[in-house]
Amino acid sequence: MDIFGALLMLRALALAPVSVIQPVSGCGLAILSVFSHFYLKEVMNIVDWVGITLAGFGTIGVGAGGEEQEAAALSIFHIPWLAFVVFILFIMLNGWLRIFKRNRREQEMMEYDVVEEIIYGLESGILFGMASVISKMGFLFLEQGFPKLLVPICIIISVCSSGTGFYYQTRGLKHGRAIVVSTCAAVASILTGVLAGMLALGERLPSAPKARLLLLLGWLLIIVGVILLVGSTKLVRFFRFSSHRFKNYGPRRSGTSRVREPSPTAVIQAATLNHLLSSSSKEKA
């Protein structure tokens, strides 16, 4: 299935820009979310579903905002430049991952933290996005009169990048939730494809105002969806704590007001005592 999907992806990249193809390929999140929830029995809270829905609509918006463009002039030195950028990103992500793993060992936590799922998803998504960009670069080299040997070279590099991406994704799926890892991988591949397509392949923002609005709105929905997905557990915990605190605050306040109110029994006893004292003083007189 992966090989068949890769062949379809190569065919799509030969016909359209990466900034259009890569976001549209992320629409499989809807199928994945339904599959992981109902078949794999993964527990998802309401914030997870909202984040996934926003990210899915964002991918559709980014894809719908794309338009066909003329290819810009390319240089063969773009490939090592992209490899250097990916290398720097992986150094930063792996350093972040080691910090969280060390904290997890110090706290003797056995379960995976959501940050580890996100990092593995981001790493695999970056590699998937770079694979698409490099494949598109090979087709553009062919169109611009470069040696035909560059096409299979770019495809081989793309296959190696995708294979490494599957390795990181499998590491995340081994202990983490499939929907979190795959969602982060899809979003990272979209952002990588769009950014690398604009910076390395010369793709531009749409000229039509409506298409540009759809593209920017899609980006916004993707960012908000990822933020909700990242902090879903903490957000749900915060809302539960706030509601629990609000419920406890009501009885405490009413209980305090009861203590401050004078007791009817105490008032009656005082009145009775005053009556007895006055009557006894009258008898003495």
Side-chain angles (χ1 to χ4, degrees):
M1 291 179 69
D2 288 333
I3 293 173
F4 183 67
L7 294 175
L8 292 176
M9 191 70 173
L10 289 174
R11 177 59 181 167
L13 290 170
L15 300 173
V18 181
S19 57
V20 174
I21 297 300
Q22 197 66 29
V24 173
S25 66
C27 294
L29 287 174
I31 300 174
L32 176 64
S33 61
V34 174
F35 178 82
S36 63
H37 180 70
F38 292 102
Y39 185 76
L40 299 180
K41 306 300 181 183
E42 293 188 352
V43 179
M44 309 295 295
N45 56 49
I46 185 64
V47 181
D48 287 325
W49 286 112
V50 172
I52 293 166
T53 303
L54 291 178
F57 280 114
T59 57
I60 297 173
V62 173
E67 64 180 10
E68 191 173 353
Q69 303 173 2
E70 295 182 359
L74 293 179
S75 173
I76 196 172
F77 295 103
H78 284 170
I79 297 179
W81 179 78
L82 289 174
F84 175 75
V85 173
V86 172
F87 179 73
I88 296 299
L89 286 175
F90 267 71
I91 289 178
M92 296 172 60
L93 290 174
N94 283 324
W96 191 18
L97 181 63
R98 288 185 178 182
I99 292 173
F100 273 92
K101 282 186 174 180
R102 184 176 58 191
N103 292 337
R104 186 160 59 89
R105 284 196 298 267
E106 290 176 356
Q107 297 176 4
E108 297 181 354
M109 296 172 58
M110 299 301 296
E111 295 183 357
Y112 253 40
D113 193 87
V114 66
V115 176
E116 298 180 45
E117 301 172 346
I118 293 167
I119 291 175
Y120 281 124
L122 291 177
E123 290 178 337
S124 60
I126 290 171
L127 291 171
F128 292 151
M130 294 305 301
S132 300
V133 172
I134 294 173
S135 297
K136 181 64 177 181
M137 193 176 292
F139 294 118
L140 292 178
F141 283 149
L142 183 63
E143 292 179 3
Q144 296 180 8
F146 283 86
K148 295 182 179 180
L149 185 62
L150 287 176
V151 177
I153 291 176
C154 289
I155 293 177
I156 290 173
I157 296 174
S158 175
V159 170
C160 294
S161 180
S162 296
T164 310
F166 281 120
Y167 167 75
Y168 280 102
Q169 190 178 45
T170 304
R171 290 185 64 180
L173 294 173
K174 186 176 181 181
H175 301 288
R177 293 178 295 173
I179 190 62
V180 176
V181 176
S182 301
T183 301
C184 292
V187 172
S189 67
I190 291 169
L191 298 179
T192 303
V194 173
L195 287 175
M198 291 182 175
L199 297 176
L201 303 182
E203 298 177 359
R204 300 175 302 275
L205 288 173
S207 57
K210 186 181 293 185
R212 189 181 299 129
L213 178 62
L214 283 174
L215 182 66
L216 296 177
L217 183 61
W219 276 71
L220 178 63
L221 290 177
I222 289 173
I223 293 172
V224 174
V226 172
I227 292 174
L228 290 177
L229 187 62
V230 169
S232 63
T233 304
K234 293 183 179 180
L235 283 174
V236 171
R237 192 179 303 165
F238 172 76
F239 287 137
R240 288 178 179 174
F241 176 77
S242 299
S243 62
H244 182 70
R245 187 177 180 182
F246 178 76
K247 290 179 181 178
N248 290 338
Y249 180 70
R252 286 179 184 176
R253 189 174 181 181
S254 61
T256 308
S257 62
R258 288 195 201 101
V259 172
R260 291 180 179 178
E261 290 177 356
S263 174
T265 309
V267 173
I268 294 173
Q269 289 176 354
T272 307
L273 182 61
N274 290 332
H275 178 69
L276 291 175
L277 290 174
S278 61
S279 60
S280 61
S281 60
K282 288 178 180 180
E283 289 175 359
K284 288 181 180 180

